[in-house]
Amino acid sequence: MKSLIAIGLACMLAVSAAHATTFEEAVALYQDKNYSEAFQVARPLAEKGNAEAQVMLATLYENGRGTEKDMSQAVSWYGAAASQNHFGAMFALGMIYLEGRTGTRDLGQAQKWISKAAEAGHLPAQHALGMY
């Protein structure tokens, strides 16, 4: 009887692990334009510190896909990923500040984030520095 309980428990754990959400699932949902579900999968991962999921959430907030458009949330999530040295997040954050998409241009913040991304070898950031 104890072996049956142990086997049952092991099967339940295996099924739970199989249904655990991953960032790859969020990417697949995003690519299928199922933004609401991508948001739901990415959010807990982002909250646990996954920089890629943080960028995805930021992008979803920035564009109002799968959630309401919210530049404050976009900046916050890009900032979280940038603080983990995610160069794409640094560049996105810099461009938001450069273009004033938060309501006000902040050239100091734009320069800071675009420069950090460029110094790390991010080609679009290097190009942006050359343009502005």
Side-chain angles (χ1 to χ4, degrees):
M1 182 67 168
K2 287 183 182 178
S3 342
L4 286 176
I5 293 172
I7 291 171
L9 182 58
C11 288
M12 287 181 1
L13 290 174
V15 168
S16 294
H19 288 2
T21 55
T22 64
F23 182 68
E24 289 76 21
E25 290 175 63
V27 169
L29 291 164
Y30 187 93
Q31 289 173 338
D32 288 342
K33 298 184 178 165
N34 193 339
Y35 302 120
S36 294
E37 285 190 42
F39 181 90
Q40 295 302 318
V41 171
R43 185 167 188 99
L45 299 170
E47 289 170 345
K48 290 179 183 172
N50 181 310
E52 294 293 336
Q54 291 169 341
V55 170
M56 180 179 282
L57 274 190
T59 302
L60 291 167
Y61 276 118
E62 181 180 5
N63 296 299
R65 291 184 170 167
T67 189
E68 292 291 318
K69 184 173 183 171
D70 187 334
M71 288 307 293
S72 173
Q73 285 289 322
V75 166
S76 177
W77 285 112
Y78 279 134
S83 72
Q84 295 186 67
N85 295 318
H86 189 288
F87 310 130
M90 291 175 186
F91 177 64
L93 198 52
M95 292 305 293
I96 287 170
Y97 286 124
L98 179 66
E99 296 169 356
R101 288 187 270 147
T102 59
T104 310
R105 287 182 77 184
D106 187 333
L107 298 180
Q109 286 294 312
Q111 176 73 26
K112 170 187 169 182
W113 290 112
I114 294 171
S115 292
K116 282 186 174 202
E119 289 166 10
H122 190 266
L123 293 177
Q126 293 171 348
H127 177 76
L129 281 180
M131 298 293 295
Y132 298 100

